[in-house]
Amino acid sequence: MTATTSATGIGAPVRRKEDFRFITGQGQYTDDVTRPGETKAVFVRSPHAHANIKSIDVSAARKMPGVVDVLTGAQLATDKIGNLICGWMIHSKDGSPMKMSAHPALASTKVNCVGDAVAVVIAETIAQGKDAAEKVVVDYEVLTAVVDPAKAQAKGAPQIHPDIVNNTIYQWHLGEKKDVDAAFAAAKHVTKLDIVNNRLVPNAMEPRAALADYDVGTENLTLWNTSQNPHVARLVISAFIGMAPEHKLRVIAPDVGGGFGSKIFIYPEEVVCLWASRKVKRPVKWTSDRSEAFLTDAHGRDHVTHAELALDANGKILALRAKTIANLGAYMSTFSSSVPTYLYATLLSGQYNIPSIYCEVDAVYTNTAPVDAYRGAGRPEATFVVERLVEVAARQMAIDPADLRRRNFITAFPHQTPVIMAYDAGDYNASLKKAMDLADVKGFAKRKREAARHGKLRGLGYSTYIEACGIAPSQAVGSLGAGVGLWESAEVRVNPTGSVEVLTGSHAHGQGHETTFAQLVSERLGIPFENVSIVHGDTDKVQFGMGTYGSRSGAVGMSAIVKALDKIEIKAKKVAAFMLEAAEGDIEFKDGKFTVAGTDKSAGFGDVALNAYIAHKFTGAELEPGLKETSFYDPTNFTFPAGCHICELDVDIETGKVDIVNWTAVDDFGTIINPMIVEGQVHGGIAQGVGQALMEGAYYDAAGQLVTGSMMDYTMPRAHDLPSFHVGLTMTKSPSNPLGMKGCGEAGAIAAPAAVINAITDAIGTENIAMPATANAVWAALQKSQAPKAA
Amino acid sequence: MYNFTFHRPTTVRQAAGLLARNPDGKLLAGGHSLLPVMKQRLAQPSALVDLSLVEGMTGVELKGRSVVIGAMTRHADVANSQVLKDAMPGLAAVPGSIGDPQVRNRGTIGGSIANNDPNADYPAACLGLGATIITNKRRIAADDFFTGMFSTALEDGEIITKISFPIAKKCAYEKFKHPASGFALVGVFVSKRGPDIRVAVTGAGSNGVFRVKSFEEALKKRFAAKSIEGMTIPANGMNSDIHASPEYRAHLVAVLARRALAKANA
Ligand SMILES: Cc1cc2nc3c(=O)[nH]c(=O)nc-3n(C[C@H](O)[C@H](O)[C@H](O)COP(=O)(O)OP(=O)(O)OC[C@H]3O[C@@H](n4cnc5c(N)ncnc54)[C@H](O)[C@@H]3O)c2cc1C
């Protein structure tokens, strides 16, 4: 596909169609949907991180005003509502399958984290529900909690699930240990680092919500919820939880206000709302408040890692090894098992030619909220390990960090890494060079001297990251344990008047699909951008689809649309051939016009569409009427967006406060549909990455109470914490999909943490500093470093 | 939020009467401290006595050598008061550092002082200027008013009506924001009014706002950052939480005091 000259085609910075309704408050989110006779669900949650439930007494609550019903886990079991599941099988290195314990939607015998739901009040109003919830008497026998993943496997640690020995879910590995050990034995230089990848709370702007409506007449259940993948939700809730047959369950994810991964998963609350609606025979709505969101949304990251890098005398990397303990929290969330394994260790080669890599990962249960995919999911953790090791190695060996990177970059493609991935295209030297130019690395020394005159220590940090997106070839992920395929679907419906509806299995919750997908269709069919609408998020309207995460909607979702458009073109040419009385093979399609080759006989797209439906020019024996095509597209490989981010920052010597003064991002996302939207994605990603590096961190105290349970204690990045970013692009097209796209949604969050920490350690002259590098932490590190100190 | 009755008196006397009749009642000013805890069901007042229609409780006035601010004056109105900016820019800068525009347009000086949040900004200014808190019953010196975290010398049913700040020739506030909440992780207010020199600290102390007598003593020679160069305060008695260690807070007190002094002398 060629670059467009049209104002709304591929490559044009078209303003987002959806923003008018969002900005003017006209969006329709789950909580905006109301049903006649709607009731509210209020959950009774455990105040303890770990306790046996001795009894639950709901009798007083039932008598409270406005109470419709009070339901418990025992009833859930009686009604044979299944447990929540994790849908990705991981095998331990000894070949045994991962050990997943039961996750009932309402706990009835034991609670395993603060916020675990033990009962639900169904009431006329939220206030009445809350009043009644206070009257539910739960007798707990409090147990010792364990929250630190590094302590979960220790002898004598509290046993969270009776059937899971040492709280260990799996002990997985990837790579050839023998080769790696040999390489380390022969290495001239070894760099070692201990890394904690801090736990994060996703904090989407719209909290999770669910509205369930049971139709007594048809026995159909409808669920409106905040989902990134409504079909997957329907499949799991039907096939595994056994709520209703798939065809009797409709899931609608209307406008969704951000997800960052946290809305991929199937949560207890939506299961309980569906079940409760059938029981009370009225609609049941639950909308999380911010406190519940902090406690119950699946958190992200939370790795403890020891990593080592072996190099020869010239700074050539010989091998990398890492041992990681991943905290999966109290229960295994829907895709939790895959994040610290196949989404993590497979990226440990970074942009480098590393002959051998070995990684071991232990996943453990703790008395904390479940942990699952969060923007980047595994790949930020991998990038952080690799980019910190490379930076520290360069400094230890007195090699310029950019130079050490260059010496090890992969330059020939395709490139098979020792950890499964086959990189298909990239130019890492190009993005490094462009970023260094944009960031004026040459002038850094001068700026550093200038900053020193103002009591500031200036530092510069690189992050040359890579990620695997366009998730993913179904057969490949199936062989790695995925319970589903990761293709995407599209249906293109051309209406008789020539306007077009695209039904996509992707789901937008901030990405701007209504705009970018329309740009693709507009360009391809030569019809006005305004004549295209995108339909998504409703299982009754849209064919089965896999949803949006892992930067897959462009590379996979739009590829499905391209395939469907190919079919539309073929069919439309048949129609045009009848209309123009020519052979099908002589019809050419360009700029929205069907022309008989070598003549001036032509028909517009709208004319052809109309003729497809009125069917006056052909008989039923010759051609089926109508113009509507479907495609299911399965990618042939992951895509590999990569690039270079450079962070320049000042550390205030007196207070340790970090001030980012310059941020340069040069990314290779392959083909770009809408550069403005891509830039927005990069900005948001960097903000989240900087948040992780400098501010964010979910802390549980020893008793398992979430200390950072509100915005008063959990530091979210704000606009004034960030500079204006310098964003640039390089481009190598992905050969793995028809558009050459790679994906851009996670890059910023993946690249940023290492760039920040590399810059801080550069500024203050220490080898390591833990995230979040708060002012207090940087100040404390400064007290121990060789850098100049305040008076 | 639990149910409560809502009253809107128009005089201080009526407000006091309503409080007397509703022993579990509470005054409502800007609501930006009270309403969040009510929403979380952590406070359950039986009645709210809203002060917003009470006459004579707002405004910033010059009275002799003092600036008098009505208890119901919103943070934004204090920050934007030309009278105050002319008389004492160091004090005018304090409310400007509070929260965000929404908070500044609702929150009041009286509510902030009555609440005495250990990380609030105004208590440092009151103590750092030797203000007088005027209530419907009496006048209380700032030195006697702030008695500990979230506790004050106010008696049940007592209403702050005004705060009187003596005008200091030199004064300034330096705030190191709490990274999450934006309150003062540590805030230091310094002032010099004739021989009266004050250094008041909020955010740091485990007992709320306090004065640093050793700094004040050293500043008597010369009211300048140089006079306290190298001086520290003990970490003992400082707050400790995930955001800052006692050592760091103690360190910040000295750094911010020097910066405030530089600002006051600028
Ligand atoms: C998001 C956010 C950010 C904030 N950031 C900051 C900050 O950076 N710095 C800071 O200092 N504060 C901050 N605050 C607090 C804010 O300044 C509050 O408004 C203030 O502390 C309380 O004032 P109010 O008028 O809202 O009082 P209310 O909430 O109405 O009342 C607070 C308490 O004072 C009592 N009270 C009120 N008026 C009187 C009176 N006249 N006499 C006696 N008792 C009275 C009430 O009964 C209640 O107990 C923030 C608040 C929010 C919500």
Side-chain angles (χ1 to χ4, degrees):
Chain A
M1 200 147 294
T2 50
T4 184
T5 46
S6 122
T8 58
I10 292 176
V14 183
R15 290 244 182 124
R16 300 192 349 155
K17 269 188 183 182
E18 43 276 84
D19 283 346
F20 178 77
R21 75 172 188 277
F22 293 153
I23 291 169
T24 57
Q26 302 303 308
Q28 273 283 311
Y29 298 89
T30 297
D31 192 57
D32 294 320
V33 181
T34 50
R35 302 293 291 165
E38 179 178 297
T39 64
K40 313 287 188 204
V42 172
F43 286 86
V44 179
R45 298 188 181 278
S46 170
H48 307 294
H50 197 195
N52 288 321
I53 300 173
K54 291 165 74 181
S55 65
I56 302 177
D57 182 356
V58 300
S59 53
R62 283 183 168 282
K63 295 191 195 105
M64 293 291 288
V67 170
V68 178
D69 207 344
V70 184
L71 302 169
T72 64
Q75 287 161 284
L76 195 77
T78 308
D79 288 356
K80 299 209 162 42
I81 301 300
N83 290 324
L84 293 141
I85 55 139
C86 174
W88 195 304
M89 171 53 70
I90 298 293
H91 285 89
S92 285
K93 47 193 160 201
D94 67 5
S96 62
M98 69 185 188
K99 302 189 172 53
M100 172 166 64
S101 196
H103 183 193
L106 291 173
S108 57
T109 57
K110 193 163 182 281
V111 290
N112 295 308
C113 60
V114 171
D116 225 353
V118 296
V120 64
V121 176
I122 311 299
E124 300 294 342
T125 70
I126 292 174
Q128 288 173 327
K130 285 188 174 177
D131 287 345
E134 288 179 0
K135 299 284 191 247
V136 173
V137 183
V138 188
D139 188 5
Y140 292 105
E141 178 198 357
V142 178
L143 305 169
T144 313
V146 60
V147 298
D148 182 348
K151 293 183 182 149
Q153 294 170 298
K155 257 218 183 81
Q159 184 76 15
I160 297 171
H161 298 283
D163 51 335
I164 311 295
V165 180
N166 293 332
N167 301 317
T168 302
I169 296 164
Y170 53 72
Q171 297 190 294
W172 174 88
H173 71 164
L174 185 65
E176 291 301 327
K177 184 171 188 315
K178 247 187 14 266
D179 298 355
V180 170
D181 289 347
F184 269 87
K188 185 82 190 160
H189 183 89
V190 173
T191 291
K192 301 179 180 183
L193 266 184
D194 285 300
I195 290 170
V196 173
N197 206 288
N198 44 326
R199 176 186 270 252
L200 305 175
V201 180
N203 268 318
M205 201 181 287
E206 181 206 18
R208 288 190 294 118
L211 167 60
D213 191 357
Y214 178 64
D215 184 322
V216 182
T218 61
E219 297 185 325
N220 285 344
L221 270 167
T222 304
L223 172 70
W224 287 262
N225 76 335
T226 46
S227 176
Q228 298 180 214
N229 43 349
H231 278 97
V232 176
R234 184 176 71 154
L235 174 63
V236 171
I237 293 170
S238 174
F240 293 92
I241 294 167
M243 186 66 61
E246 209 175 351
H247 64 291
K248 306 290 276 179
L249 175 62
R250 176 183 185 185
V251 178
I252 304 171
D255 285 332
V256 174
F260 312 115
S262 71
K263 292 173 181 168
I264 299 172
F265 324 121
I266 319 308
Y267 285 92
E269 292 85 359
E270 53 221 44
V271 171
V272 169
C273 285
L274 282 164
W275 170 61
S277 174
R278 203 164 54 196
K279 278 193 106 65
V280 304
K281 300 191 169 54
R282 286 174 63 182
V284 176
K285 183 193 277 177
W286 169 77
T287 301
S288 172
D289 60 30
R290 190 57 66 183
S291 306
E292 281 182 299
F294 270 100
L295 287 176
T296 66
D297 288 358
H299 292 177
R301 320 282 191 254
D302 210 346
H303 284 194
V304 179
T305 297
H306 177 77
E308 302 185 357
L309 193 69
L311 302 101
D312 74 9
N314 296 321
K316 281 290 281 179
I317 301 171
L318 303 172
L320 182 155
R321 64 185 169 204
K323 165 84 206 256
T324 293
I325 303 173
N327 189 355
L328 297 194
Y331 302 101
M332 289 184 72
S333 174
T334 317
F335 290 109
S336 56
S337 56
S338 65
V339 177
T341 49
Y342 291 110
L343 294 178
Y344 165 65
T346 53
L347 273 306
L348 285 174
S349 197
Q351 299 185 350
Y352 312 108
N353 199 337
I354 305 182
S356 42
I357 295 174
Y358 181 67
C359 180
E360 290 177 284
V361 180
D362 286 7
V364 297
Y365 280 119
T366 61
N367 296 113
T368 61
V371 178
D372 207 325
Y374 169 67
R375 201 170 192 171
R379 292 151 292 167
E381 295 91 315
T383 295
F384 195 73
V385 168
V386 176
E387 288 305 293
R388 288 289 298 126
L389 279 173
V390 166
E391 191 83 16
V392 172
R395 290 180 199 161
Q396 287 172 343
M397 298 178 79
I399 301 173
D400 177 75
D403 197 34
L404 187 90
R405 285 176 167 85
R406 271 188 228 105
R407 289 184 203 180
N408 290 284
F409 275 158
I410 294 161
T411 50
F413 296 88
H415 172 88
Q416 178 62 53
T417 72
V419 278
I420 299 178
M421 292 299 177
Y423 299 169
D424 50 10
D427 186 345
Y428 310 139
N429 276 305
S431 45
L432 176 66
K433 179 174 186 319
K434 187 163 177 183
M436 290 177 75
D437 290 347
L438 271 176
D440 184 22
V441 172
K442 283 206 184 84
F444 174 73
K446 190 167 162 234
R447 294 194 296 277
K448 188 175 172 74
R449 284 193 300 274
E450 178 60 27
R453 278 195 279 278
H454 299 99
K456 310 278 172 150
L457 297 172
R458 184 157 290 207
L460 186 111
Y462 297 90
S463 179
T464 50
Y465 74 97
I466 191 161
E467 49 174 331
C469 294
I471 291 174
S474 298
Q475 201 173 49
V477 295
S479 73
L480 303 179
V484 289
L486 288 169
W487 43 265
E488 194 50 272
S489 69
E491 178 174 306
V492 175
R493 283 189 197 161
V494 180
N495 296 320
T497 56
S499 65
V500 170
E501 281 132 33
V502 177
L503 290 79
T504 169
S506 300
H507 183 277
H509 32 278
Q511 293 85 349
H513 294 170
E514 289 169 44
T515 303
T516 49
F517 289 13
Q519 285 181 253
L520 166 63
V521 176
S522 157
E523 164 137 344
R524 180 66 194 271
L525 298 182
I527 60 174
F529 172 74
E530 296 72 30
N531 290 4
V532 184
S533 66
I534 307 299
V535 180
H536 66 93
D538 183 343
T539 59
D540 260 14
K541 290 184 184 163
V542 180
Q543 68 291 340
F544 200 97
M546 292 310 298
T548 289
Y549 35 83
S551 303
R552 66 191 303 276
S553 300
V556 191
M558 289 179 93
S559 295
I561 299 174
V562 168
K563 294 289 180 190
L565 288 169
D566 287 346
K567 294 182 190 174
I568 290 284
E569 184 176 325
I570 291 169
K571 174 82 183 279
K573 277 180 173 167
K574 289 190 205 296
V575 176
F578 283 106
M579 290 166 64
L580 302 169
E581 296 170 339
E584 190 188 322
D586 289 340
I587 304 291
E588 285 169 353
F589 180 54
K590 205 172 161 250
D591 298 333
K593 239 166 67 186
F594 295 86
T595 313
V596 181
T599 74
D600 59 358
K601 283 210 304 191
S602 70
F605 183 78
D607 253 1
V608 172
L610 185 66
N611 273 282
Y613 285 95
I614 59 174
H616 295 169
K617 303 278 189 211
F618 48 86
T619 69
E622 288 165 322
L623 189 65
E624 275 183 30
L627 195 51
K628 183 192 94 154
E629 298 288 351
T630 301
S631 168
F632 286 72
Y633 172 79
D634 203 353
T636 54
N637 192 358
F638 290 83
T639 61
F640 298 95
C644 174
H645 286 217
I646 300 178
C647 169
E648 188 170 327
L649 51 74
D650 278 341
V651 172
D652 178 12
I653 298 177
E654 283 192 319
T655 64
K657 190 169 185 313
V658 170
D659 191 13
I660 296 174
V661 292
N662 204 347
W663 194 285
T664 308
V666 174
D667 301 291
D668 177 357
F669 297 137
T671 302
I672 304 282
I673 305 292
N674 184 323
M676 182 195 70
I677 289 179
V678 166
E679 204 170 304
Q681 290 284 322
V682 172
H683 286 193
I686 296 169
Q688 273 169 304
V690 169
Q692 167 162 34
L694 294 179
M695 297 161 231
E696 299 185 50
Y699 293 96
Y700 287 89
D701 68 13
Q705 294 295 331
L706 183 61
V707 179
T708 48
S710 81
M711 296 291 182
M712 297 299 275
D713 281 303
Y714 186 88
T715 311
M716 292 291 287
R718 294 167 162 93
H720 68 240
D721 295 317
L722 302 158
S724 287
F725 307 116
H726 303 282
V727 178
L729 293 167
T730 58
M731 207 223 284
T732 60
K733 291 195 180 190
S734 166
S736 309
N737 62 68
L739 290 166
M741 297 179 71
K742 295 187 179 180
C744 66
E746 297 157 292
I750 291 169
V756 174
I757 298 301
N758 286 339
I760 293 176
T761 49
D762 178 46
I764 68 177
T766 60
E767 201 148 84
N768 206 352
I769 187 163
M771 298 191 288
T774 62
N776 189 166
V778 174
W779 174 77
L782 259 175
Q783 304 315 300
K784 295 190 203 127
S785 89
Q786 301 303 310
K789 299 201 185 39
Chain B
M1 204 179 275
Y2 299 103
N3 284 342
F4 54 86
T5 56
F6 187 60
H7 306 277
R8 301 196 99 179
T10 52
T11 65
V12 174
R13 182 186 283 269
Q14 281 174 10
L18 282 161
L19 277 184
R21 286 195 295 282
N22 294 281
D24 292 332
K26 272 208 164 280
L27 293 172
L28 177 69
H32 270 52
S33 291
L34 184 53
L35 295 186
V37 290
M38 287 174 64
K39 281 190 187 166
Q40 290 180 294
R41 301 188 152 221
L42 297 173
Q44 191 175 6
S46 60
L48 285 188
V49 179
D50 178 12
L51 294 175
S52 59
L53 299 185
V54 173
E55 276 164 29
M57 279 185 77
T58 58
V60 181
E61 277 179 320
L62 208 55
K63 279 214 173 135
R65 289 206 222 164
S66 292
V67 173
V68 178
I69 303 177
M72 279 299 290
T73 315
R74 317 270 176 197
H75 303 328
D77 294 331
V78 179
N80 295 329
S81 158
Q82 198 56 49
V83 172
L84 184 59
K85 281 197 223 166
D86 292 344
M88 228 180 344
L91 175 58
V94 173
S97 79
I98 295 176
D100 46 49
Q102 289 88 333
V103 174
R104 292 195 289 275
N105 282 321
R106 292 300 305 168
T108 67
I109 184 169
S112 174
I113 291 167
N115 198 49
N116 194 17
D117 186 302
N119 294 87
D121 298 295
Y122 267 129
C126 291
L127 195 60
L129 281 167
T132 303
I133 318 301
I134 302 164
T135 76
N136 58 336
K137 296 184 178 160
R138 56 187 169 139
R139 301 168 66 89
I140 311 168
D143 285 297
D144 303 324
F145 184 83
F146 302 103
T147 52
M149 272 201 191
F150 295 107
S151 85
T152 67
L154 287 175
E155 289 162 5
D156 280 350
E158 193 168 8
I159 302 172
I160 302 174
T161 54
K162 294 184 172 71
I163 300 97
S164 174
F165 293 94
I167 295 173
K169 252 227 161 83
K170 289 182 172 177
C171 69
Y173 183 56
E174 190 70 23
K175 172 177 182 176
F176 192 90
K177 287 195 176 189
H178 184 292
S181 74
F183 278 68
L185 187 74
V186 177
V188 179
F189 196 99
V190 299
S191 78
K192 174 176 167 56
R193 189 170 53 93
D196 190 15
I197 285 170
R198 287 171 174 258
V199 178
V201 177
T202 188
S206 51
N207 227 352
V209 61
F210 66 94
R211 287 171 67 178
V212 187
K213 298 280 180 181
S214 58
F215 287 9
E216 291 177 357
E217 207 51 45
L219 289 168
K220 278 185 181 152
K221 253 184 258 140
R222 203 157 73 84
F223 187 74
K226 264 243 163 327
S227 306
I228 56 165
E229 192 88 56
M231 286 182 75
T232 55
I233 67 163
N236 209 342
M238 295 292 115
N239 270 328
S240 174
D241 54 34
I242 57 164
H243 301 289
S245 65
E247 292 74 26
Y248 184 58
R249 281 194 165 89
H251 168 76
L252 280 185
V253 169
V255 172
L256 299 181
R258 290 197 299 269
R259 290 183 180 180
L261 285 161
K263 219 192 250 179
N265 286 318

